[in-house]
Amino acid sequence: MAPPRVFKNYINGEWVPSGSGLTFDNINPANQSELVGLFQKSNRQDVENAIQAAKDAYKTWRVTPAPKRGEVLFRAASLLVERKETYAEQMTCEMGKILEETRGDVQEAIDMTYYMAGEGRRLFGQTTTSELPNKFCMWVRSPIGVCSLVTPWNFPMAIPSWKVMPALICGNTLVIKPASDTPLSTYNLVQTLVDAGVPRGVVNLVTGSGFEVGTALVVHDDVRVVSFTGSTEVGRKVAEACAGSFKHCCLEMGGKNIIMVMEDANLDLAVDGAIWGGFGTTGQRCTASSRVAVHKDVYHEFVEKFVARARALKVGNGLDPAVQVGPLINENQLKTVEEYVEIGKDEGAKLLCGGERLADGDYDAGWFYSPTIFGDCKPEMRICREEIFGPVVSVIPCESLEEAIEIGNGVVYGLSSSIYTRNVNRAFQAMRDMETGIFYVNAPTIGAETHLPFGGTKQTGNGHREAATTALDFYSDWKSVYVDYSDKLQRAQIDT
Ligand code: NAD
């Protein structure tokens, strides 16, 4: 058997091993005996080197004309298009989601890269009038400096691209640390940027643990911007680490999203949405539709159809085109799901389907769990309030739209919500009243597009938005500029 491939860090324009001399395994969650590759178990010195490289490169990248920076991104986007199938297959091998979805993940990176490349010829500021004569006023975007980007495993190329591309187009340099379950897809993204001609030191990749590498990246004095996507628990630590030196800090964290099904909804469409939103990516999306509130008049009909469809889902290795639901990412996540299913049963929720680990035959070597639905749930149950991050959906009966909205908003998270109704008044009422950063009508809670802001409220986020032009606001500082061409001293507020 050929020895496993060893993947290196990318620091200052070179692929280099970690000074630790150690590596960690990247394993296929559908088949634990398949080693995807060995990645660098980096240490603080590796982080130091990467940040120094980014700091040095910033001097020239910040003054490189933005359209030129955009050209690198345009080339990277076309390379991603060429490599889409290979990268998607590799992503399925390292994180388990089905090929159709990993193609979507790479496509999202392509979309974001093209989108931000185009921003190189915009990066609009504003001009305005002055209160004084012969004076010109404007505000313009300025790059900020070195960015530390820390990403999760569930969208291992898309999420890095949401951070890398706006950071670069705004003129910043960066160090990225991917989650240890999925370093290959971020490696592929960085390799693509290297092949597209990104200058030395502008993009740096350091793999390794959150504790060792992640912490070092977010506390470093030379880092001005930290963008983190992951759990609310770790996000809180990142926010605290950034507070001391007042770094720009963007946090995108957990969710407990809801679909509200009204009595006038197209029920088959709502069931389609609940299946895709609840079990797509094996429920491991921050936007997963993990709760469904259903009006009592259609509750039984909805539940019957939903359970029948969930039972028919084919679970297995995501490379098999017939498979609809892949494995969980790792053993810990599987245990979390098992624990929550027990909690749900103890709380008195009705287990309608699933609720078991799949471990026989083909399932033996992977972390597979059956699509699970709890019925007759109460909003205060832990399975209805806490993020499970697995193929578990809680269905909650309700009496009215107002009650559904109250249930929907009754959690600490505020990422995504949706309503199924044919009544436009109800749709707009829900749109107005849901406290989430994303809202859908007649579609599930998942499925963001790159030119719309992405992010959540409450304990999902800290007020910033990724994607769209809103990402540019995070990765640049506004500079207000006054040009006085009167040839004399003019004093604002005084020489009126
Ligand atoms: P996680 O919080 O465990 O890890 C995220 C990243 O942080 C990883 O790279 C990890 O190594 C690193 N990390 C861990 N401890 C750290 C520390 N002390 N300092 C700095 N970095 C540290 O999250 P995960 O398990 O990889 O991802 C799942 C979570 O991500 C879920 O809660 C999900 O909802 C959330 N998520 C949110 C969004 C969003 O946009 N809101 C998108 C995807 C995933």
Side-chain angles (χ1 to χ4, degrees):
M1 218 169 71
R5 184 164 165 206
V6 180
F7 294 85
K8 295 180 180 162
N9 287 333
Y10 189 70
I11 299 176
N12 202 22
E14 313 274 344
W15 293 102
V16 290
S18 163
S20 73
L22 302 171
T23 57
F24 63 91
D25 296 350
N26 180 3
I27 283 170
N28 183 340
N31 179 0
Q32 294 155 46
S33 61
E34 189 185 315
L35 187 58
V36 175
L38 296 172
F39 286 80
Q40 302 302 311
K41 201 171 191 174
S42 307
N43 57 24
R44 274 155 211 264
Q45 188 56 51
D46 300 318
V47 173
E48 194 62 46
N49 297 344
I51 291 175
Q52 187 59 48
K55 193 177 166 189
D56 293 343
Y58 178 63
K59 292 177 197 133
T60 43
W61 185 247
R62 63 177 276 273
V63 290
T64 301
K68 290 277 168 220
R69 300 196 291 253
E71 283 171 19
V72 176
L73 269 57
F74 274 122
R75 284 196 294 275
S78 345
L79 289 172
L80 285 173
V81 171
E82 283 170 26
R83 299 171 185 182
K84 180 174 171 180
E85 198 58 24
T86 309
Y87 286 173
E89 276 172 26
Q90 291 180 348
M91 193 187 296
T92 293
C93 291
E94 75 168 344
M95 74 85 53
K97 66 185 172 187
I98 62 173
L99 208 43
E100 207 175 22
E101 290 190 47
T102 51
R103 286 187 192 118
D105 197 307
V106 179
Q107 186 59 46
E108 201 164 317
I110 293 168
D111 295 345
M112 182 58 81
T113 309
Y114 273 129
Y115 179 69
M116 288 298 163
E119 282 304 314
R121 285 196 179 269
R122 286 183 287 269
L123 288 182
F124 294 134
Q126 287 199 39
T127 60
T128 184
T129 53
S130 170
E131 65 189 45
L132 292 161
N134 299 322
K135 198 170 173 188
F136 181 86
C137 301
M138 61 188 162
W139 61 91
V140 296
R141 291 187 186 279
S142 305
I144 309 175
V146 177
C147 308
S148 284
L149 312 177
V150 180
T151 52
W153 47 264
N154 64 337
F155 278 84
M157 188 177 280
I159 291 180
S161 79
W162 294 359
K163 301 182 189 302
V164 167
M165 303 310 164
L168 290 180
I169 204 65
C170 288
N172 307 289
T173 57
L174 62 94
V175 183
I176 184 164
K177 186 206 95 64
S180 297
D181 282 310
T182 56
L184 179 56
S185 298
T186 309
Y187 180 99
N188 286 339
L189 186 69
V190 169
Q191 177 72 69
T192 303
L193 282 159
V194 172
D195 296 342
V198 75
R200 155 193 290 263
V202 170
V203 171
N204 301 274
L205 166 77
V206 182
T207 56
S209 77
F211 180 70
E212 182 85 11
V213 178
T215 310
L217 276 173
V218 301
V219 300
H220 201 289
D221 282 343
D222 289 335
V223 169
R224 299 280 312 280
V225 177
V226 171
S227 180
F228 166 86
T229 300
S231 60
T232 297
E233 190 190 353
V234 175
R236 191 170 283 117
K237 289 186 197 160
V238 171
E240 285 164 8
C242 290
S245 52
F246 304 104
K247 293 179 171 53
H248 286 228
C249 170
C250 173
L251 305 170
E252 296 295 343
M253 301 170 286
K256 191 71 187 175
N257 315 289
I258 194 164
I259 291 179
M260 300 176 289
V261 182
M262 295 297 98
E263 72 274 33
D264 65 340
N266 174 342
L267 271 201
D268 289 326
L269 186 67
V271 169
D272 276 347
I275 288 285
W276 173 229
F279 302 115
T281 322
T282 320
Q284 302 170 113
R285 286 194 187 213
C286 51
T287 51
S289 313
S290 53
R291 297 181 293 162
V292 186
V294 186
H295 194 280
K296 63 177 181 1
D297 292 356
V298 290
Y299 180 79
H300 291 293
E301 191 183 345
F302 175 87
V303 164
E304 198 179 312
K305 290 181 177 196
F306 186 34
V307 169
R309 288 279 302 279
R311 282 208 174 107
L313 287 171
K314 186 166 164 51
V315 180
N317 187 323
L319 289 178
D320 175 348
V323 163
Q324 294 159 295
V325 179
L328 288 154
I329 185 70
N330 56 34
E331 196 173 359
N332 270 345
Q333 201 52 42
L334 180 77
K335 281 192 180 139
T336 302
V337 168
E338 287 179 327
E339 278 165 26
Y340 270 107
V341 168
E342 288 312 308
I343 290 168
K345 287 191 218 161
D346 291 347
E347 285 178 316
K350 196 163 160 192
L351 183 63
L352 299 174
C353 68
E356 56 185 4
R357 180 178 181 178
L358 302 170
D360 298 336
D362 285 350
Y363 295 128
D364 197 26
W367 290 294
F368 295 101
Y369 200 87
S370 56
T372 300
I373 299 174
F374 278 109
D376 294 348
C377 295
K378 299 203 165 50
E380 60 276 13
M381 290 175 173
R382 282 183 62 193
I383 56 165
C384 297
R385 288 187 291 114
E386 297 174 16
E387 185 181 50
I388 300 174
F389 229 54
V392 182
V393 178
S394 305
V395 188
I396 310 166
C398 67
E399 307 254 339
S400 63
L401 172 62
E402 288 69 23
E403 190 189 349
I405 291 172
E406 200 180 317
I407 294 167
N409 286 336
V411 292
V412 296
Y413 300 109
L415 185 51
S416 184
S417 58
S418 104
I419 187 167
Y420 280 82
T421 179
R422 290 178 169 118
N423 181 325
V424 69
N425 298 357
R426 285 177 154 185
F428 270 86
Q429 185 184 338
M431 179 195 77
R432 183 194 63 197
D433 293 342
M434 287 308 299
E435 299 165 347
T436 52
I438 305 168
F439 180 72
Y440 293 87
V441 179
N442 292 327
T445 55
I446 67 177
E449 299 181 32
T450 53
H451 57 297
L452 275 75
F454 183 94
T457 63
K458 298 177 359 188
Q459 293 190 24
T460 295
N462 63 341
H464 297 288
R465 290 290 181 270
E466 301 210 280
T469 50
T470 44
L472 305 175
D473 292 335
F474 177 70
Y475 290 101
S476 54
D477 269 332
W478 283 115
K479 187 175 286 179
S480 297
V481 182
Y482 301 87
V483 182
D484 191 323
Y485 56 98
S486 68
D487 235 9
K488 61 181 183 193
L489 175 67
Q490 299 197 91
R491 297 168 301 172
Q493 292 90 39
I494 296 171
D495 297 328
T496 51

